Amino acid sequence: MSPRKARAMLGWAYLLPYASLFVLFVLVPIVVAAYLAVMQFDLTSPKSAGFVAFRNFADAWRDEYLQRAFVVTAKFAAMMVPSLVVVAFALALGLNAMPRGRNAVRAMVFLPTMFTVAVTGILWQWFYNLEFGLFNFVLKNLGLAPVPWLSDKNIAMPSIVLMSLWWTSGGTAVILLAGLQNIPRMFHEAASLDGADGWRGFWSVTFPLLRPVVLFVVVTNLIGAFQFFPQAQLLTGGGPELATRGVVQYIYETAFNGYRLGYAAAMSWMLAAVVAVFGFLQFWLMRKEAS
Amino acid sequence: MKGRWVLLVAMFAVGLLFVAPMVLMVLTSFKPEAEVLNPESAIPKHWTLQNYLDVLNWSEEAPFVRWLMNSVLVSSSVTFLVLVLSSLAAFGITRVRVPGGGAFFYLVVASMMVPGLLFLVPVYFILNSLRLLDTPAALILPAAGGGFGVFLLTQFMKSLPKAIEEAALIDGCSWLGVYYHVSLPLCAPAMATLGVLTFIGSWNDFVGPLVYLDSIQNYTLPVGIALYQASYYTEYGRTLATSAMATAPLLLIFAIFQKQIVESMSSTGLKD
């Protein structure tokens, strides 16, 4: 064996353990997802599996429940992403301006991101409870009427968004704070000399310099928001009246309660296509920023 | 000057808002059940360990200790596998410089762009075909195939000078020896960050065990406590005691590795 060939064999010996799991649980699933999407495949009767070409996609296109789920997901994203950016920005600016104690407060706002979504859901379900929840207890003491936080179809989604803000805005604030601290001091000093302080300094100096980081935060959270699922699964189960059942939850129920894997795979591709559009948007905008 | 103090106080108040739910969780878990539903005072009037004792003595419907052991097993196996397999792969790509290694690296990075939801159904299908559903392996193996570790360690090793490794090779050290005695110690900071992030991610994973596990005995903590809460939702004292115990290991990790955790989060937005 030539030394070059020996080295190649040796190198792949190092790669092989990881590569085998990568192939089995990353590459093969993508192929299987494509295969399932064009099959009628029900786990309850695998013998009846058959090729149906694009019928799953055609069915999904006309599926009223899927349309509703897309509306719910879009609604969550439309509420969550802007409020997250505003809250995280306020936190980051506040932290950045702190003369001391910054690391302590940064740790405090970051702490909720360490929680599993299950514990987060349990805590907030307790706060939101109609009869003995903390929020309604406070409202009652203020002489106000109790709010049906999770059982009203117009309030449930904002309640989920509020919980998600508590859970994730600290993490986003830390990213923005790092961006703020990355801006060289001289920019602020120059702006200050030109009389651009405070709010004007923020809009004319800080924000433009931070654009790439903000862009990153917006797109990654948009991608995350479109895969919204566990928060609703835990807090409302998708209710009331499916008002909080997003696309991933519908896919989950189709696949693992109804065992219709083919149809669920087709819907997964449709949502993945939407998410991919955001990914390409990010790539394109980043390139434009860079040039 | 006065404005700065106002800001300081205001920011601490905001920080307290973020911490308050956790403090309430811990305080309430020490209340007797009758006091839990009556939130007049956040601090228990009668402190009790009863909720914790009840939880630890739970039986078949809610075997807390079993869930805890499952979580420990799964998270530490995932962390161990990710650290070993990713560092071996990164070593192969950057040091042995195997032909095709660069292309493989780009394939791994590209796969990280695929949204996670797409894997839910096909991975279930594959685990079902391998008869691995409802076993710890259903959570461990797919997690170890994720690309983040290879991405992180390959980037890190690329940024290190190769001179020490080359010197070790010339001195007659074997490739495996170089990996173990030279590269691994050099990568220690990146390995620590990767290990901590992997452990946290695995410990907190909710959707994986929800989809790939079936029997209560095999649950990990997040699905276990969610199931318990769904069926005994009025027993908040016990649910909160469970939640506090499930969160405690992470708070310990956060206290020790705060710098690495926050820094790795910070740097995600600064990449070009």
Side-chain angles (χ1 to χ4, degrees):
Chain A
M1 207 180 339
S2 72
R4 254 185 78 194
K5 217 171 157 192
R7 184 157 168 167
M9 296 272 289
L10 177 87
W12 277 101
Y14 285 89
L15 277 176
L16 201 64
Y18 172 74
S20 52
L21 285 180
F22 175 75
V23 170
L24 189 56
F25 290 107
V26 179
L27 293 187
V28 172
I30 297 174
V31 178
V32 170
Y35 161 81
L36 286 173
V38 293
M39 299 289 285
Q40 159 101 33
F41 192 95
D42 296 357
L43 214 56
T44 42
S45 54
K47 289 220 176 68
S48 67
F51 178 70
V52 295
F54 293 103
R55 209 179 68 204
N56 284 328
F57 290 95
D59 288 349
W61 189 256
R62 284 190 301 266
D63 185 341
E64 262 177 56
Y65 288 107
L66 182 61
Q67 289 164 12
R68 281 176 78 174
F70 260 108
V71 171
V72 167
T73 294
K75 212 167 120 188
F76 174 76
M79 287 188 204
M80 181 66 195
V81 177
S83 45
L84 177 74
V85 171
V86 171
V87 170
F89 231 117
L91 288 172
L93 287 172
L95 284 167
N96 196 40
M98 283 180 84
R100 68 193 66 184
R102 180 191 297 152
N103 286 352
V105 177
R106 188 179 65 173
M108 287 161 97
V109 301
F110 190 80
L111 199 70
T113 59
M114 299 293 293
F115 279 57
T116 162
V117 66
V119 169
T120 307
I122 285 171
L123 275 174
W124 283 76
Q125 204 167 45
W126 172 44
F127 297 157
Y128 283 145
N129 191 291
L130 191 60
E131 294 140 62
F132 46 82
L134 193 75
F135 289 172
N136 281 346
F137 175 77
V138 173
L139 289 178
K140 207 174 92 189
N141 280 5
L142 294 171
L144 297 167
V147 172
W149 297 101
L150 298 174
S151 46
D152 182 291
K153 68 179 195 302
N154 295 317
I155 303 174
M157 187 57 99
S159 299
I160 292 174
V161 170
L162 185 66
M163 178 189 86
S164 306
L165 283 176
W166 175 79
W167 188 38
T168 62
S169 57
T172 304
V174 163
I175 297 175
L176 290 173
L177 177 66
L180 283 172
Q181 291 175 336
N182 223 30
I183 297 174
R185 248 197 131 75
M186 56 177 208
F187 282 103
H188 295 295
E189 281 157 9
S192 200
L193 284 175
D194 289 343
D197 273 323
W199 202 234
R200 248 191 75 204
F202 174 74
W203 282 115
S204 55
V205 179
T206 313
F207 194 76
L209 284 170
L210 218 55
R211 273 235 315 256
V213 185
V214 176
L215 183 72
F216 171 83
V217 161
V218 168
V219 178
T220 43
N221 279 295
L222 205 55
I223 292 173
F226 263 80
Q227 300 182 62
F228 145 81
F229 162 51
Q231 297 101 308
Q233 168 83 7
L234 287 158
L235 273 189
T236 60
E241 295 172 48
L242 302 183
T244 57
R245 184 173 79 169
V247 180
V248 175
Q249 189 177 345
Y250 185 45
I251 292 171
Y252 166 82
E253 285 170 7
T254 305
F256 308 116
N257 297 347
Y259 295 111
R260 295 169 63 203
L261 295 193
Y263 191 49
M267 293 195 290
S268 303
W269 280 106
M270 292 169 88
L271 183 59
V274 176
V275 172
V277 170
F278 297 132
F280 284 122
L281 194 72
Q282 177 179 30
F283 188 69
W284 183 70
L285 286 171
M286 288 272 185
R287 282 213 125 162
K288 244 181 82 186
E289 286 285 322
S291 62
Chain B
M1 217 50 232
K2 209 175 136 200
R4 300 205 138 185
W5 283 105
V6 173
L7 179 81
L8 188 73
V9 173
M11 286 308 290
F12 262 98
V14 170
L16 282 179
L17 271 183
F18 278 82
V19 181
M22 191 195 74
V23 176
L24 278 174
M25 169 177 86
V26 174
L27 286 176
T28 309
S29 69
F30 289 110
K31 284 181 175 181
E33 202 61 53
E35 242 183 274
V36 169
L37 299 184
N38 182 16
E40 258 148 43
S41 136
I43 298 160
K45 283 194 198 91
H46 309 277
W47 291 79
T48 172
L49 280 173
Q50 198 54 46
N51 292 319
Y52 287 89
L53 296 175
D54 288 348
V55 167
L56 292 174
N57 286 326
W58 268 347
S59 53
E60 250 123 81
E61 316 87 80
F64 177 81
V65 179
R66 188 68 200 262
W67 296 339
L68 181 72
M69 308 279 274
N70 292 338
S71 273
V72 170
L73 171 75
V74 168
S75 300
S76 37
S77 309
V78 169
T79 308
F80 177 76
L81 272 180
V82 164
L83 285 177
V84 172
L85 301 190
S86 310
S87 60
L88 280 171
F91 184 79
I93 295 167
T94 65
R95 291 301 183 263
V96 190
R97 273 177 292 139
V98 48
F104 180 74
F105 176 67
Y106 284 115
L107 188 65
V108 170
V109 174
S111 78
M112 289 166 67
M113 311 285 177
V114 181
L117 83 113
L118 194 66
F119 292 96
L120 216 55
V121 177
V123 168
Y124 180 89
F125 179 88
I126 291 166
L127 290 170
N128 182 45
S129 320
L130 297 173
R131 301 273 169 270
L132 287 177
L133 280 179
D134 204 20
T135 67
L139 303 178
I140 296 167
L141 296 178
F148 178 68
V150 173
F151 170 72
L152 189 82
L153 292 182
T154 303
Q155 295 288 73
F156 189 80
M157 280 200 200
K158 266 186 192 162
S159 71
L160 293 178
K162 292 194 187 75
I164 309 174
E165 275 114 328
E166 275 158 12
L169 275 178
I170 292 167
D171 285 350
C173 194
S174 69
W175 279 105
L176 203 61
V178 174
Y179 162 78
Y180 189 75
H181 293 291
V182 184
S183 299
L184 273 191
L186 284 175
C187 284
M191 295 278 281
T193 303
L194 176 64
V196 168
L197 293 182
T198 306
F199 189 89
I200 296 169
S202 174
W203 187 270
N204 281 344
D205 183 22
F206 175 71
V207 176
L210 181 73
V211 172
Y212 306 135
L213 300 181
D214 198 31
S215 41
I216 291 172
Q217 293 292 319
N218 291 335
Y219 280 176
T220 54
L221 278 172
V223 265
I225 54 184
L227 167 101
Y228 180 80
Q229 203 269 350
S231 22
Y232 304 89
Y233 68 98
T234 48
E235 295 173 4
Y236 269 104
R238 287 182 212 169
T239 316
L240 294 174
T242 345
S243 301
M245 283 194 276
T247 313
L250 290 185
L251 296 184
L252 191 70
I253 290 175
F254 186 62
I256 300 170
F257 294 102
Q258 204 217 106
K259 206 170 140 251
Q260 281 94 333
I261 296 169
V262 174
E263 260 168 23
S264 66
M265 185 79 185
S266 313
S267 60
T268 54
L270 297 179
K271 284 196 293 269
D272 18 273

